[in-house]
Amino acid sequence: MSKCPACGESVTGKFCSNCGATLGDLSCSKCGAALKKDDRFCHKCGAPVRASRDSQSPVPWIVAGAAVVVLALVVIVRFTGSAGPPAQGAAPAAAGPGGAAGPVDLSSMTPREAADRLFERIMIAHEAGNADQVAFFLPMAIQSYQMLEQKDTDAHYHLGLIHTVGGQADAALAQADSVELGAPNHLFASMLRATAARIKGDSAGVRRAYRTFLDSYEGEIATQKPEYSAHQNAIEAFRTEARGLNGG
C-alpha cells in the first residue's frame, strides 16, 4: 500500500480510489521528465518542482467537481422522470401523479443520495441503450462519488460500475482494490474484476474473477451484508454466468 501523491490517501493499484489520480512518480510540468518525491527542481530543465506538484493538487479538481454537481442538480430534474426499468438493487424514482415517475430535486438530498440517484440514471440509460444520457451523466456521477468524504463498499461498487459503463477498466479495478481492502473476499470485487477484464478482452482474467466469486459465494452470502441484499438480483445473475462459464 502507498500514499496517493495528489490527496495523500492510502491506496493500491494504478489509480487512486479517492481522487482518481494516476499513481506513480511525479513529472515535470515543463519538460515531462520523471521526478522523485523530494525533488525541488527538475534535474533535466531546472524548472521548480512545486509547479509540477501544484498541477496535481486536488483543489482545482474539487472546485470543478462542485461545479459539475451543481450543474447536475439543475439539469437532472429534466431526466429523472424518463422511462426505463430501475437499476438492479436501486430504489425507483419518486412517483408522480398517477403513479408515473416524476422529477426529483437532488438539491434536497444528501451528497450520497444525489450520487446514488445519478448512478441509477446511468444504469437505466445504459440498460436502455441510451448512449447520450450515459455520456451526459457519467462525469457528474463520477465526480459526485469521488467528492464524498467517506465511501462505503456499496459506493465503491457503484463507482466501479459507472467506470465499466464508461469503458474505464483500470479505474474500475481501482474500485475493486478498495472493496478488497475492507473485505478481501467481497463478491463485489470479483464482479468488478470480471467486467473490467471483459472490457480489456482478457478472457483468462474473466475466468479467474468468476472462479474467485464462486469460491467465495457461500461464505460471503452467509455474512448477510446489507449491500448483498440491495444487489441480490445482480449477484445471482453474475453467479449464473460464473457457473455457466466454469461448468457449474
Side-chain angles (χ1 to χ4, degrees):
M1 186 181 298
S2 60
K3 294 287 186 180
C4 174
C7 68
E9 287 292 316
S10 297
V11 291
T12 60
K14 297 181 180 180
F15 297 88
C16 176
S17 59
N18 182 59
C19 70
T22 301
L23 302 181
D25 293 335
L26 299 175
S27 60
C28 176
S29 61
K30 185 174 182 180
C31 70
L35 302 173
K36 296 181 180 178
K37 180 179 180 181
D38 298 324
D39 285 345
R40 298 180 61 188
F41 296 91
C42 176
H43 60 83
K44 185 175 182 180
C45 70
V49 173
R50 180 177 179 81
S52 297
R53 288 178 177 159
D54 286 348
S55 68
Q56 298 192 38
S57 169
V59 174
W61 169 84
I62 292 173
V63 173
V68 171
V69 174
V70 170
L71 176 62
L73 300 181
V74 174
V75 181
I76 187 77
V77 176
R78 296 176 51 200
F79 295 92
T80 307
S82 61
Q88 291 180 337
V104 176
D105 180 10
L106 291 188
S107 63
S108 66
M109 300 180 182
T110 66
R112 175 57 189 274
E113 289 171 342
D116 285 347
R117 185 52 59 90
L118 287 167
F119 163 75
E120 292 174 25
R121 286 308 312 153
I122 289 174
M123 293 299 107
I124 290 172
H126 179 62
E127 292 173 5
N130 192 327
D132 288 340
Q133 281 199 26
V134 169
F136 180 82
F137 288 114
L138 192 136
M140 298 179 189
I142 291 175
Q143 296 282 19
S144 295
Y145 278 109
Q146 289 178 338
M147 289 176 64
L148 295 176
E149 292 184 1
Q150 293 183 338
K151 291 186 280 292
D152 58 16
T153 300
D154 207 37
H156 283 298
Y157 178 56
H158 287 183
L159 184 52
L161 285 178
I162 291 169
H163 283 307
T164 62
V165 169
Q168 302 158 349
D170 287 333
L173 290 173
Q175 297 307 314
D177 289 342
S178 296
V179 169
E180 289 183 335
L181 283 177
N185 297 318
H186 204 290
L187 300 180
F188 287 173
S190 298
M191 294 166 72
L192 289 175
R193 292 192 188 286
T195 307
R198 190 177 296 112
I199 292 172
K200 288 173 170 284
D202 179 8
S203 59
V206 174
R207 287 182 176 275
R208 283 195 301 271
Y210 278 147
R211 186 71 263 164
T212 300
F213 175 92
L214 292 174
D215 290 344
S216 304
Y217 177 83
E218 296 294 343
E220 280 297 299
I221 290 298
T223 65
Q224 298 184 345
K225 292 181 173 68
E227 62 265 28
Y228 289 160
S229 296
H231 294 278
Q232 182 179 0
N233 291 342
I235 290 172
E236 293 307 317
F238 188 88
R239 185 190 185 202
T240 299
E241 294 175 6
R243 294 176 72 179
L245 186 64
N246 286 275

